[in-house]
């Protein structure tokens, strides 16, 4: 196994849209093959990804500038659809996905730490995310990354699963 590469994280551009969508689709397929309810197949469309890019929400990770996108995620400053209104200013990670060929190399941890630092620099006290309540492996992963479960939310009744809400304090403020 190769050593852990350091990712260069940058704001995504429209040219990254297809790569982000390909990572998302591969992640959806991988989860579905294992019977894990986390994302619905073809949940995202290219127009949706491009809209998120235009809103400056998507970030991509590459091992070297100009190389292939190895990871992607959105960093938001509110997520009322999942979290409702929250008084404490926080960063919200959505859609974190890693190229499956790079799985197990520490890239997810790097990206979560990068997002935490970015959110801290923006004045946020917490980094928040959610995952499928039945995805025990991912819940354990986030716990090892310093996230604690703080609630649950039922998804749209048509999706058939709920979400666990997790957060990690990134400042000493209370």
């Amino acid at each position: 196994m190769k050593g852990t590469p350091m990712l260069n994280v940058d704001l995504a551009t429209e040219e990254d849209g297809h790569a982000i969508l390909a990572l998302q689709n591969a992640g959806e397929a991988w989860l579905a093959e294992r019977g894990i309810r986390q994302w619905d197949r073809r949940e995202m469309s290219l127009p949706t990804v491009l809209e998120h890019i235009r809103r400056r929400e998507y970030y991509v990770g590459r091992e070297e500038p100009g190389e292939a996108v190895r990871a992607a995620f959105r960093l938001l400053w509110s997520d009322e659809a999942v979290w409702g209104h929250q008084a404490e200013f926080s960063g919200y990670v959505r859609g974190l996905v890693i190229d499956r060929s790079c799985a197990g190399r520490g890239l997810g941890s790097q990206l979560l730490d990068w997002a935490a630092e970015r959110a801290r620099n923006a004045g946020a006290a917490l980094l928040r995310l959610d995952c499928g309540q039945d995805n025990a492996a991912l819940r354990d992963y986030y716990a090892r990354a310093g996230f604690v479960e703080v609630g649950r939310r039922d998804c749209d009744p048509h999706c058939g699963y709920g979400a666990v809400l997790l957060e990690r304090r990134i400042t000493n403020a209370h």
Side-chain angles (χ1 to χ4, degrees):
M1 181 160 114
K2 292 181 181 178
T4 301
M6 289 302 296
L7 286 182
N8 295 292
V9 180
D10 294 302
L11 198 57
T13 66
E14 288 191 20
E15 290 76 29
D16 297 320
H18 287 285
I20 292 169
L21 188 60
L23 287 176
Q24 177 80 23
N25 290 342
E28 292 166 358
W30 186 86
L31 290 167
E33 288 168 5
R34 285 152 185 78
I36 300 170
R37 297 297 311 265
Q38 178 71 33
W39 291 328
D40 292 327
R41 297 292 299 263
R42 305 297 187 238
E43 183 174 305
M44 291 287 246
S45 66
L46 184 59
T48 300
V49 169
L50 292 174
E51 178 57 31
H52 293 162
I53 289 170
R54 286 183 202 107
R55 291 195 312 234
R56 302 176 61 83
E57 296 174 355
Y58 256 115
Y59 290 84
V60 294
R62 293 179 170 87
E63 293 179 58
E64 295 291 334
E67 287 189 357
V69 173
R70 296 292 184 205
F73 66 97
R74 292 170 61 210
L75 181 59
L76 310 175
W77 304 112
S78 71
D79 190 359
E80 289 194 30
V82 174
W83 283 80
H85 175 73
Q86 298 291 314
E88 197 163 16
F89 180 61
S90 303
Y92 297 82
V93 171
R94 301 286 310 195
L96 175 64
V97 63
I98 306 295
D99 182 328
R100 293 302 313 155
S101 71
C102 298
R105 294 170 56 192
L107 302 185
S109 294
Q110 279 186 51
L111 293 177
L112 290 172
D113 289 345
W114 186 95
E117 185 64 22
R118 176 102 163 97
R120 182 183 304 110
N121 290 339
L126 298 164
L127 185 64
R128 292 177 163 152
L129 48 78
D130 66 277
C131 73
Q133 68 185 11
D134 297 329
N135 194 339
L138 188 55
R139 290 170 63 187
D140 289 344
Y141 174 82
Y142 287 138
R144 289 189 309 274
F147 287 84
V148 296
E149 295 184 15
V150 296
R152 293 181 183 246
R153 182 182 181 284
D154 290 330
C155 292
D156 180 307
H158 302 292
C159 79
Y161 61 94
V164 174
L165 307 177
L166 303 107
E167 64 185 24
R168 178 170 113 186
R169 185 152 295 279
I170 55 175
T171 67
N172 293 328
H174 294 285

